Amino acid sequence: HVQLVESGGASVQPGGSLRLSCQVSQYAVKNGCMAWFRQAQGKEREGVAQITPPGRTRYARSVKDRFTISRDGDKDILYLQMDRLKPEDTGVYFCAAVHWTDPCTGRLLENEYSYWGQGTQVIVSS
């Protein structure tokens, strides 16, 4: 069955950088519609970045020009490079994938993603 395992979360000062990884099994990352979501304490989960099968990327306005989503199709790993981090970036970060039979709509909506990791904690604080 499909498994997604995130790693790379840590505590970092404002202005710092982190790279999150999502190791995927039983799902071809290079051909998949995948995304990163995050959830801050007491808030709903929100979409952060998406990558489509052809490699097109989309970002939430709050992270655009600071975060970069990418993938390694040979290793089946999804990445999220996060630069110039802010305290409001604090939260649990999840990677997610769309089922093969479902369309990749380009919208960062939770209910379009069938497969989820367990999350990795990011804390941005001085």
Side-chain angles (χ1 to χ4, degrees):
H1 60 281
V2 177
Q3 284 190 310
L4 290 76
V5 180
E6 302 94 335
S7 62
S11 183
V12 62
Q13 291 189 341
S17 297
L18 281 176
R19 188 176 79 159
L20 305 183
S21 300
C22 176
Q23 180 68 61
V24 183
S25 59
Q26 302 300 314
Y27 186 94
V29 169
K30 64 182 178 182
N31 296 325
C33 182
M34 299 192 69
W36 287 94
F37 288 76
R38 68 185 180 189
Q39 187 168 22
Q41 193 169 10
K43 295 187 177 181
E44 292 187 354
R45 192 152 53 182
E46 62 173 351
V48 174
Q50 180 199 53
I51 187 164
T52 67
R56 185 174 181 177
T57 58
R58 291 185 175 89
Y59 299 92
R61 191 173 300 177
S62 59
V63 306
K64 192 171 175 57
D65 298 326
R66 298 189 298 121
F67 289 12
T68 303
I69 187 171
S70 64
R71 64 193 177 194
D72 185 328
D74 292 331
K75 297 181 180 179
D76 280 332
I77 300 176
L78 182 72
Y79 297 104
L80 184 67
Q81 176 67 41
M82 305 187 294
D83 298 317
R84 304 196 303 279
L85 282 160
K86 304 176 181 180
E88 50 264 43
D89 295 319
T90 294
V92 179
Y93 283 70
F94 301 88
C95 66
V98 174
H99 192 279
W100 290 116
T101 61
D102 293 334
C104 189
T105 66
R107 298 179 296 179
L108 287 166
L109 299 177
E110 260 191 89
N111 59 7
E112 295 188 357
Y113 291 81
S114 299
Y115 307 111
W116 292 84
Q118 82 291 345
T120 186
Q121 177 76 56
V122 172
I123 299 173
V124 185
S125 174
S126 55

